[in-house]
Amino acid sequence: MSGVLLGLMMFAQVDPPYNEGLYRCVTVDLGEHGTLCNAKEPAPHVNCTTTPMETLTDAVRMAFEDAAPDRVIASWGHASGINISGVDPKTGEQYVTMILASIISGAGATQQMDGWHACGPLCCFGALSSGDIELLEYQYPILIHKYGLAEDSGGAGEYRGGCGTVWEVEPLGHEMTVVAFGEGREHPTMGAAGAEQISPELKLGRLEIIHKDGVTDLHKQNIMTEIQPGDRARNTNPGGGGYGISFARSVPAVLKDVEERVISVAAAKTEYGVVIDPQTLAVNEAETNALRRKLTA
C-alpha cells in the first residue's frame, strides 16, 4: 500500500501538510492472495518495504507518466545497502547493524530542477538519516574509510538525477560478515520525459570487497560474505533518474557538475556531449557543438 500511495503522491504533487484524507478516494486491489503484492504465511517478507515497494512505486509512476506526462518526475534510486555483523574483540559481544548510510541514494529530477543528492532511496523518500561516522566507529569495531557522493551515479538528462553515495568500511581485529541486499545493483534508476541511461553501468549500485593483497571482488547480486582485518567493503549506491534529453542540458551546468565532481570529464562527453579538457577544465566549444549535432542528428 505504501508503494502504491507513494507513486500516487509523486504524481499528484499536493502541497503539505498531508493527512489520511488524501487517500480516502483511492482503492487498491492487491491481487490474488499468495502473490508478491499480497503474500501469505510463510512467505518471507523482511524486505517487503524496500525492493518490492520500490518496484510498485515505479509501476504506478510509469502508469501516470503515460496518462499525464507533463506532471511526471523521474524515479529515485533503489535500495542497494549492506548489513554488517561480527564479534567485538574488545568485549566478546556479538553485534549486528543495518548500515543506513549504505543505502542513501539520489533523488529523481523534475521538470524544473536537478534531483537532490544523497537523500534516497525511493522506499524512504527522503526520510532517512545516516548517523555520524564518529558514533558508528565508537559503537562498533570498524573503521570507515570513505563516505561521500558517488561520481557519475546520477541519471543523465536536461535535469540531472541526484548522486548516490559511497560508503567504505574495514573491520578492526575481527572477521566481519557483510550482507548485501536490494535491487539497485541490478536495475538502473528510471528517468522520465525521454531521459536515457547512456552509461547504465555507471548508474548501478555495486559492492566491492577490496582485499589487503590488492585483489578486488565486484558483487552485483545479493550476497553474504566474510571479510578479514585489512580488507574493506565499499558499497556504492545508484543515483536518481534524469529528466529530459541529456544533450539539451546547458553547457555551463555540465561544466559546473564536472568542477564539483558530480560527473566525470568522460561522462560529460558521452552522456551530455560536452567536451572538456581534463587538465584545465575548459570547454572546447567547437568540438562540443560538433558532437552535439552528431548525437542529436
Side-chain angles (χ1 to χ4, degrees):
M1 286 294 296
S2 295
V4 171
L5 295 175
L6 176 55
L8 171 64
M9 295 308 296
M10 291 175 73
F11 167 79
Q13 300 173 29
V14 178
D15 292 332
Y18 305 143
N19 57 48
E20 188 179 357
L22 292 171
Y23 310 123
R24 288 177 186 158
C25 59
V26 181
T27 301
V28 179
D29 181 358
L30 295 176
E32 182 183 351
H33 198 200
T35 58
L36 176 66
C37 302
N38 193 4
K40 64 180 179 181
E41 197 172 357
H45 61 275
V46 65
N47 267 349
C48 67
T49 54
T50 53
T51 291
M53 174 187 167
E54 291 169 334
T55 301
L56 287 171
T57 298
D58 268 345
V60 172
R61 187 189 59 81
M62 291 170 66
F64 280 129
E65 179 174 9
D66 289 341
D70 57 312
R71 296 182 64 84
V72 74
I73 66 174
S75 182
W76 291 34
H78 285 210
S80 176
I82 60 173
N83 299 340
I84 61 173
S85 65
V87 176
D88 191 329
K90 293 182 179 179
T91 64
E93 295 181 351
Q94 187 178 35
Y95 70 90
V96 58
T97 182
M98 179 179 182
I99 302 298
L100 295 180
S102 74
I103 64 172
I104 293 184
S105 54
T110 74
Q111 305 97 323
Q112 300 174 328
M113 61 181 288
D114 295 336
W116 299 314
H117 300 311
C119 64
L122 180 59
C123 61
C124 297
F125 214 58
L128 184 64
S129 177
S130 62
D132 295 326
I133 287 177
E134 293 81 5
L135 290 179
L136 288 173
E137 291 181 330
Y138 174 79
Q139 190 171 2
Y140 304 107
I142 60 175
L143 178 63
I144 300 172
H145 285 268
K146 186 174 185 178
Y147 183 40
L149 297 182
E151 187 179 59
D152 290 336
S153 58
E158 181 177 2
Y159 293 101
R160 171 192 38 72
C163 285
T165 59
V166 56
W167 193 85
E168 184 177 309
V169 64
E170 175 188 347
L172 298 179
H174 72 294
E175 181 180 78
M176 184 172 73
T177 300
V178 179
V179 181
F181 64 92
E183 290 188 352
R185 294 183 302 280
E186 185 173 358
H187 303 294
T189 308
M190 289 184 287
E196 298 180 4
Q197 293 290 14
I198 298 172
S199 307
E201 287 299 315
L202 296 177
K203 314 308 175 186
L204 289 170
R206 54 196 174 273
L207 172 64
E208 299 168 275
I209 303 300
I210 306 165
H211 298 283
K212 53 189 173 185
D213 60 5
V215 175
T216 298
D217 297 326
L218 176 64
H219 299 282
K220 295 186 177 181
Q221 303 296 323
N222 295 338
I223 66 160
M224 179 182 294
T225 188
E226 313 290 335
I227 67 173
Q228 307 298 322
D231 297 339
R232 288 173 287 162
R234 178 190 297 159
N235 191 74
T236 302
N237 271 284
Y243 184 95
I245 305 301
S246 62
F247 303 124
R249 185 169 177 80
S250 73
V251 173
V254 175
L255 177 60
K256 185 173 183 289
D257 283 344
V258 171
E259 291 173 339
E260 295 181 351
R261 299 184 181 180
V262 172
I263 66 174
S264 65
V265 169
K269 182 177 181 179
T270 58
E271 298 185 357
Y272 296 93
V274 178
V275 181
I276 299 175
D277 186 288
Q279 302 300 323
T280 65
L281 296 187
V283 175
N284 187 317
E285 294 185 5
E287 290 189 19
T288 294
N289 292 335
L291 180 59
R292 284 194 158 189
R293 283 196 299 268
K294 178 181 178 181
L295 293 171
T296 55

